[in-house]
Amino acid sequence: MARTLEADYLVVGAGAMGLAFTDTLVHESDATVVVVDRNDQPGGHWTTAYPFVRLHQPSAYYGVNSRGLGSDTVDQFGLNAGYYELASGAEVCAYFDAVMTQHLLPTGRVTYLPMSEYLGDGRVRTFGGEDIEVRARRVVTTRVEVVVPSMRRPSYDIADGVHVVPPNSLPRLPDPRDRYVVVGAGKTAMDSCLWLLRHGIAPERLTWIKPRESWVLDRAAIQPGRQFAKHTIGDFANQLAAVREAESLPDLFERLEDKGCLQRIDRSVEPTMYRCAILSQAELSELRRVTDVVRMGHVRAIEPDRIVLDDGVREVDGSVLYIDCSADGLGKEPVTTIFDGDHIALQTVRTCQPAFSAAVIAHVETAYPDDDARNRLCRPVPYPHVPVDWLRMMLIFNENQLQWFADPDMMAWVDAARLNALHHVTANVSERARDRIISMLTSELPAVNEKLEALLASAG
């Protein structure tokens, strides 16, 4: 007979969003929570990520609201020199473990079931085979499941004798190769190219199979600290100005690039991808050293001495190692209502900030009386895939912000939230300057949203 657990909430997944939600919920209410996770430790995809992975946003913006991540210092060396630290994957895993063991479990209101599978309808099966029934008022799930290369086989055919590895294997390779071929266009591929260059692989020995070019964000504009406040505010003002001034979608992206709001590795190729990736100027310069970039679509098969792609065949010779970075990390699930009866679907409510979004959703759950009020404050922002998603994300986040600005209690919470990027800006300016920023946004966002809607309509 299945054991029964009673709780107010059943949270499925102990990744960044699940833990950020649980942390805020537990600290702002007397709720009881059961957290079910298929991994043996908290951290979600971080537990299987490649060993040289780092956050690509400052550590200050990541984790849970009640506990800081990192030492709040500026890096002095490397490609992130001059900017606030980026936690390593190992640091993130250790941090989430501490959140669970030092913050959540000691409350006595959180039950953690690692190595367990959620079967639906409140049913959980543990690694040891025990069946548990969780009776909860709400079931909380994460709408997007991050998939990294080590979690699945490549989608293309691989002939016998061809050596294809995920990025996880790079630091453990026993012998060098004549050529290294990186497959994929996203942040994992960028990280892999940078890792190889950092460890002495000459650019001439690198081939980058890059089916798409991506817009990326500039890390200089996404920094906490007083010294960056003016730059960060200026970047957001430039985004609004670019939208107001744009005469078409192509013109908008040209203006965003001219103003430094978006950037690309190869300026000669029109980007068809946008995933919120962030690079420093030093990282951009390094990646531009890789000149053997293959733009012949996606890989269909890798055979001895050649790569079969959508648009042709690329010959290769010598000893070759292929690094598969082609996993679609965010998936393509459409957005859905966040608060819906006995279910909460965690999604982003602020562009490119999943942990902060989950904390917002938890706060709204505890502080507002019904799902209609909650959903007005938390419209889901779609995860980005293509450049036009930049507009869709900005439009919905602006609408969320206007709702928050109109509610003094909500605005006070958002303004004080550690995970909120804007908090780190307003905390480093005078109260008068902060009020001017909020006033400017409140007055300008409606017109900007009208222009965003017009530009989206022109896209069809």
Side-chain angles (χ1 to χ4, degrees), residues 232-244:
T232 303
I233 295 168
D235 179 73
F236 192 67
N238 283 337
Q239 293 177 46
L240 300 182
V243 173
R244 288 195 309 269

Side-chain angles (χ1 to χ4, degrees), residues 155-379:
S155 59
Y156 42 85
D157 294 330
I158 303 170
D160 291 341
V162 173
H163 197 182
V164 180
V165 300
N168 303 55
S169 299
L170 279 176
R172 299 189 297 272
L173 292 173
D175 55 328
R177 306 300 172 93
D178 296 327
R179 178 153 298 276
Y180 296 84
V181 178
V182 175
V183 180
K187 188 62 169 63
T188 302
M190 298 174 199
D191 284 352
S192 296
C193 288
L194 291 169
W195 187 91
L196 289 163
L197 292 167
R198 184 167 70 251
H199 288 282
I201 302 302
E204 295 77 20
R205 294 168 62 191
L206 263 174
T207 296
W208 193 351
I209 307 294
K210 198 174 182 184
R212 297 181 291 172
E213 187 67 25
S214 178
W215 287 116
V216 298
L217 302 169
D218 184 357
R219 192 170 296 131
I222 308 168
Q223 294 292 307
R226 183 179 297 275
Q227 68 269 44
F228 295 102
K230 185 176 181 180
H231 189 147
T232 303
I233 295 168
D235 179 73
F236 192 67
N238 283 337
Q239 293 177 46
L240 300 182
V243 173
R244 288 195 309 269
E245 298 163 4
E247 299 177 0
S248 64
L249 274 177
D251 183 50
L252 170 63
F253 285 100
E254 184 176 335
R255 291 176 185 276
L256 289 169
E257 186 173 32
D258 288 344
K259 295 176 186 292
C261 305
L262 291 176
Q263 51 192 7
R264 51 184 155 168
I265 297 168
D266 189 337
R267 299 185 188 94
S268 69
V269 178
E270 187 67 27
T272 58
M273 176 179 172
Y274 174 62
R275 305 301 295 273
C276 289
I278 305 171
L279 293 174
S280 68
Q281 291 298 318
E283 288 170 328
L284 269 179
S285 296
E286 276 295 284
L287 290 171
R288 286 171 179 153
R289 296 174 64 209
V290 182
T291 57
D292 186 16
V293 178
V294 178
R295 300 185 184 277
M296 298 169 64
H298 292 88
V299 173
R300 294 300 178 190
I302 301 180
E303 302 170 357
D305 302 326
R306 69 178 203 157
I307 309 163
V308 181
L309 301 111
D310 290 333
D311 301 326
V313 173
R314 168 63 186 266
E315 306 290 338
V316 289
D317 55 18
S319 62
V320 183
L321 178 72
Y322 296 88
I323 301 100
D324 177 63
C325 305
S326 61
D328 187 2
L330 293 179
K332 296 182 179 178
E333 286 289 323
V335 298
T336 189
T337 303
I338 290 177
F339 299 95
D340 188 11
D342 61 0
H343 183 227
I344 297 176
L346 298 181
Q347 296 158 89
T348 55
V349 296
R350 188 192 197 283
T351 57
C352 307
Q353 279 206 291
F356 170 65
S357 296
V360 170
I361 292 167
H363 170 71
V364 168
E365 167 71 3
T366 66
Y368 291 83
D370 59 71
D371 281 356
D372 287 341
R374 295 172 183 129
N375 283 318
R376 279 195 297 273
L377 292 164
C378 294
R379 287 193 60 196

Side-chain angles (χ1 to χ4, degrees), residues 358-432:
V360 170
I361 292 167
H363 170 71
V364 168
E365 167 71 3
T366 66
Y368 291 83
D370 59 71
D371 281 356
D372 287 341
R374 295 172 183 129
N375 283 318
R376 279 195 297 273
L377 292 164
C378 294
R379 287 193 60 196
V381 174
Y383 287 96
H385 293 90
V386 294
V388 74
D389 288 336
W390 185 94
L391 289 81
R392 296 188 180 103
M393 296 171 74
M394 188 179 198
L395 173 63
I396 297 174
F397 173 53
N398 286 350
E399 291 172 349
N400 284 342
Q401 282 198 113
L402 288 169
Q403 290 288 332
W404 301 348
F405 293 156
D407 185 323
D409 291 338
M410 184 67 191
M411 193 58 206
W413 186 90
V414 167
D415 210 27
R418 182 190 77 80
L419 292 174
N420 181 19
L422 190 59
H423 157 75
H424 295 268
V425 174
T426 56
N428 286 289
V429 298
S430 67
E431 185 173 347
R432 183 178 178 184

Side-chain angles (χ1 to χ4, degrees), residues 70-83:
S71 56
D72 203 29
T73 56
V74 174
D75 286 344
Q76 301 300 311
F77 305 99
L79 299 179
N80 194 55
Y83 301 135

